[in-house]
Amino acid sequence: TKYGWVQGICLGTRDNERVRELFGFEVVSACKLLKNPDGSYRKLLREVGYYTDLKTGEYLTEWQNPYLNETVKVVPITNDPFNYTISEFYPDPPSFGGLNTEKPPKVPFLLKWTIATKTTLLLETDIHLFYPNALQPDKWPRESSGKMLRASEMYRYVIRVEDMADESKTSVEYTGTWNRITPWLPWMLMGQEQGHITYVTYMGGFDSMDSIPARLLEHTRKNHPKFLTAPEKDEGPSLSSIENYARMQKPAPPKQPGS
């Protein structure tokens, strides 16, 4: 099992005003690789992500939206599972339950490595998506950013050369950064208001759960213990937080005049 960790901040951006720091963000994940008969590998992963108060660090269950002057219910990310196949070609983009039908041409799986120093390797992997939104505005007027959803994720890994050169290792630990550009989060109830969210975070992948911050582990054991154990088999569709929101939440009632 490999344990993942993310910690950072979410920024709000609108035209004609400075960027706002809105809330913190923390993730813990557990994953395994299973070898397929054809020599490829299936990555099996589940992850849970929490939003936090920037001043106290408290895990949020509700949040005062400064754009709306309204208290909203905070919905954590619970991706279970999020799986994909690693082979000699780059994986297809996620299908998100069939919503994303993009099928790019097969490209050899040659990663973008940079030799930073004699001891350090850098790796970058990015993905840019544009596909039909699971939260359509006719059903989800307060949650939906529009009929189409645009999202980008940018990963930067820092890895020791010594670890990558060690043929006895089946995986290596890493640190790095993860950034995401996405529409307003559905629970913010911003609808199709102009603007977007940017996640700016540090990340890491570790062989031991002991490397995950104790506070994050304690909160997850109490509230989402399943996410500290990697899946044992490939099951269920791989959905993003948006598709999971559409399946697990209900549309918010219209905002009352004057509220």
Side-chain angles (χ1 to χ4, degrees), residues 99-219:
L99 290 171
N100 185 20
T101 58
E102 180 185 5
K103 292 292 182 181
K106 292 293 185 182
V107 177
F109 192 57
L110 301 175
L111 296 173
K112 297 179 181 179
W113 294 96
T114 298
I115 301 175
T117 69
K118 291 182 179 180
T119 60
T120 306
L121 288 171
L122 305 178
L123 170 65
E124 61 180 273
T125 63
D126 299 343
I127 186 169
H128 307 288
L129 300 171
F130 185 66
Y131 65 98
N133 195 342
L135 301 172
Q136 287 295 300
D138 57 345
K139 180 179 179 181
W140 304 83
R142 301 206 65 195
E143 293 86 355
S144 178
S145 60
K147 292 184 177 181
M148 299 295 291
L149 191 146
R150 179 175 60 198
S152 294
E153 298 193 5
M154 289 71 67
Y155 299 81
R156 299 295 181 267
Y157 301 82
V158 181
I159 303 169
R160 294 175 60 194
V161 171
E162 179 182 356
D163 289 340
M164 284 296 292
D166 186 345
E167 295 185 6
S168 69
K169 290 182 177 292
T170 60
S171 68
V172 297
E173 295 192 325
Y174 63 84
T175 56
T177 64
W178 172 76
N179 298 320
R180 175 179 171 89
I181 302 172
T182 188
W184 301 118
L185 306 182
W187 53 262
M188 293 175 66
L189 305 183
M190 295 290 286
Q192 297 185 58
E193 291 286 335
Q194 180 274 331
H196 65 270
I197 292 289
T198 304
Y199 293 74
V200 182
T201 76
Y202 295 109
M203 69 171 184
F206 309 113
D207 295 329
S208 171
M209 195 184 300
D210 294 339
S211 297
I212 305 297
R215 175 175 165 275
L216 176 57
L217 283 179
E218 179 182 358
H219 185 75

Side-chain angles (χ1 to χ4, degrees), residues 8-20:
I9 192 170
C10 293
L11 308 175
T13 302
R14 295 197 304 185
D15 288 345
N16 301 313
E17 68 177 46
R18 71 176 62 192
V19 170
R20 298 192 191 200

